[in-house]
Amino acid sequence: MPNDELILITGATGFVGSQLVRELLDRHTSARLALIIRPRPGQTVQQRAETLIPDSARARVQVYSGDVSLENCGLSAEDYQILRSESTRVIHSAATVRFDHSLEEARQMNVEGTRRVLDFAASMPRVRSFSYVGTAYVAGLRTGLVREGELDTGPGYRNTYEQTKAEAEALVRSRGGSLPAIILRPSIIVGDSRTGVTSSFKMMYWPLKIYARRLWRTVPGYPDAVLDIVPVDFVTRAVAHLAFDQNAIGGTFHLCAGPRGSATIQQIAHRAMEYFQGREPRYVDPKVFFAAIRPLLFLMLWGRKRRVLVDGRSYRDYFSMRMQFDTTNAERLLGPAGICPPQVMDYLDRLFHYCVASNWGRKAIPAQ
């Protein structure tokens, strides 16, 4: 690899982005990184970056104050020109992953933010690849096997996150003729498969927590619904590899467990039952639950159990999915490099253990 690489990264402070920074530093030892980080009140971008960068690699990382939702990515004129002239690769992972944003709010970050980063990358005379970290759930409400090259609006989306990520991916695809673009679609990202470590306790973790705490055991979903989850260590290894693979340019890749590695809701729930020594989960047709049972329970329940009904609305459709993700393209390029997603059932206990040890993120666990 050329020793003049400067990799521009957005979203470096996020769950995936923070792991990706470390992976890139370890994998591409002669490369430099430029991180665009959004300042927060009372906290400089340098302070936000402190936990991301190992002491041994600080000389290889440049931190810039910016915000992709603003004109020129919120960079100063001087910083914009430096990054424009020196950047050789762009990895765009900044996004809002909230399901409850309005369409306008989600578009401002996910679509317009992507548009600004694309415009920036297109102006870079030395850019060699533009890697866009999207999501496999741009497939929305589709069923069956979703191919990597497909981007079909089909029957619609579950939330504004899915819709705006699909719109952003369409925007990246439209620039394919002028930019060396690579589209990367992870599924549901969970903790490290080796240690269980995570900084994000959303998606799968929320129903696990309420079950482990004996608050709820009713699953408004189908036992055979497929839950495609992938550990963050696999995703970051895959992104770091494909961003430098010339054969990946112009392609779309599902960073997913796929049909061979995913698991059903029932398999995961049964393993959780064994681990947390809980009662057998009970399954209810989601259409019946949300049309008839939930409104009744909402009138009857109070306190924490009513809160479960409120919080659970964002996740309801993910317990009844009837689709899987084809991983042919990803396997073709990642397989020879030895980068493969582990079987979901092979590392679930490590995820569960970290949840308990960290009290679901409330307790700091020393790094091993």
Side-chain angles (χ1 to χ4, degrees):
M1 183 187 74
N3 60 9
D4 65 339
E5 293 279 9
L6 178 63
I7 311 166
L8 176 63
I9 303 172
T10 71
T13 57
F15 174 44
V16 174
S18 59
Q19 300 275 6
L20 180 60
V21 166
R22 299 184 185 95
E23 181 67 31
L24 288 165
L25 289 170
D26 288 344
R27 178 180 289 268
H28 304 294
T29 55
S30 62
R32 293 175 296 134
L33 272 56
L35 314 181
I36 296 180
I37 295 179
R38 183 169 50 185
R40 284 180 173 171
Q43 191 178 34
T44 67
V45 294
Q46 285 74 22
Q47 289 172 328
R48 292 196 71 192
E50 279 181 2
T51 58
L52 305 177
I53 310 166
D55 290 340
S56 60
R58 290 192 182 277
R60 295 168 52 205
V61 182
Q62 305 162 14
V63 179
Y64 295 88
S65 177
D67 183 340
V68 300
S69 67
L70 302 176
E71 191 69 24
N72 290 336
C73 298
L75 296 163
S76 69
E78 180 182 3
D79 289 346
Y80 189 91
Q81 288 305 321
I82 289 172
L83 292 175
R84 177 186 174 278
S85 62
E86 295 185 12
S87 297
T88 58
R89 299 185 192 274
V90 178
I91 301 178
H92 176 44
S93 66
T96 176
V97 297
R98 288 177 54 174
F99 294 166
D100 59 349
H101 271 320
S102 69
L103 188 56
E104 181 180 354
E105 289 173 320
R107 277 178 173 156
Q108 182 59 29
M109 173 61 79
N110 293 346
V111 183
E112 295 308 312
T114 298
R115 188 190 308 277
R116 290 184 177 93
V117 180
L118 282 166
D119 290 343
F120 192 17
S123 74
M124 297 173 182
R126 304 175 61 210
V127 68
R128 295 166 183 153
S129 66
F130 178 95
S131 300
Y132 170 71
V133 182
T135 175
Y137 294 97
V138 294
L141 295 170
R142 287 186 53 188
T143 59
L145 186 66
V146 179
R147 306 285 181 183
E148 288 159 294
E150 299 172 335
L151 182 63
D152 182 6
T153 55
Y157 304 97
R158 297 174 184 84
N159 46 60
T160 59
Y161 168 71
E162 291 184 352
Q163 180 174 343
T164 56
K165 291 296 279 186
E167 292 173 1
E169 181 178 315
L171 193 57
V172 176
R173 287 170 174 259
S174 73
R175 303 289 186 92
S178 57
L179 268 177
I182 302 166
I183 296 171
L184 307 167
R185 292 178 177 172
S187 54
I188 298 170
I189 305 174
V190 295
D192 192 292
S193 65
R194 302 157 298 187
T195 64
V197 171
T198 182
S199 61
S200 177
F201 289 86
K202 299 177 182 178
M203 285 303 294
M204 184 190 77
Y205 290 96
W206 180 84
L208 277 176
K209 180 168 68 173
I210 63 172
Y211 173 75
R213 291 180 171 176
R214 309 294 196 265
L215 288 173
W216 204 265
R217 66 185 181 98
T218 298
V219 181
Y222 305 117
D224 62 346
V226 174
L227 196 63
D228 191 303
I229 64 176
V230 280
V232 67
D233 50 302
F234 161 72
V235 173
T236 53
R237 287 180 67 203
V239 172
H241 177 79
L242 292 172
F244 283 80
D245 189 335
Q246 189 69 20
N247 294 318
I249 291 174
T252 301
F253 304 89
H254 276 153
L255 307 185
C256 304
R260 290 192 296 272
S262 54
T264 65
I265 296 291
Q266 186 173 41
Q267 287 175 309
I268 294 173
H270 185 76
R271 187 67 198 106
M273 180 191 72
E274 294 176 337
Y275 187 92
F276 295 109
Q277 298 182 336
R279 297 172 67 187
E280 183 78 39
R282 54 193 175 205
Y283 301 90
V284 178
D285 186 303
K287 295 177 182 178
V288 174
F289 181 84
F290 287 102
I293 299 175
R294 183 184 180 278
L296 183 61
L297 290 175
F298 200 79
L299 295 174
M300 298 170 56
L301 299 178
W302 296 93
R304 291 190 298 174
K305 289 199 172 185
R306 176 181 264 200
R307 188 68 197 173
V308 167
L309 289 173
V310 174
D311 293 343
R313 286 181 301 180
S314 298
Y315 306 100
R316 62 185 185 183
D317 293 324
Y318 293 91
F319 299 134
S320 56
M321 289 186 295
R322 298 293 193 184
M323 67 178 169
Q324 290 195 325
F325 303 110
D326 175 51
T327 57
T328 301
N329 292 346
E331 290 175 10
R332 176 173 52 84
L333 295 187
L334 294 175
I339 303 173
C340 303
Q343 299 277 323
V344 169
M345 300 303 294
D346 288 349
Y347 61 90
L348 271 182
D349 281 9
R350 288 189 280 277
L351 302 184
F352 297 163
H353 179 72
Y354 185 79
C355 290
V356 174
S358 69
N359 191 20
W360 304 88
R362 295 179 178 269
K363 177 182 174 183
I365 304 296
Q368 300 295 318

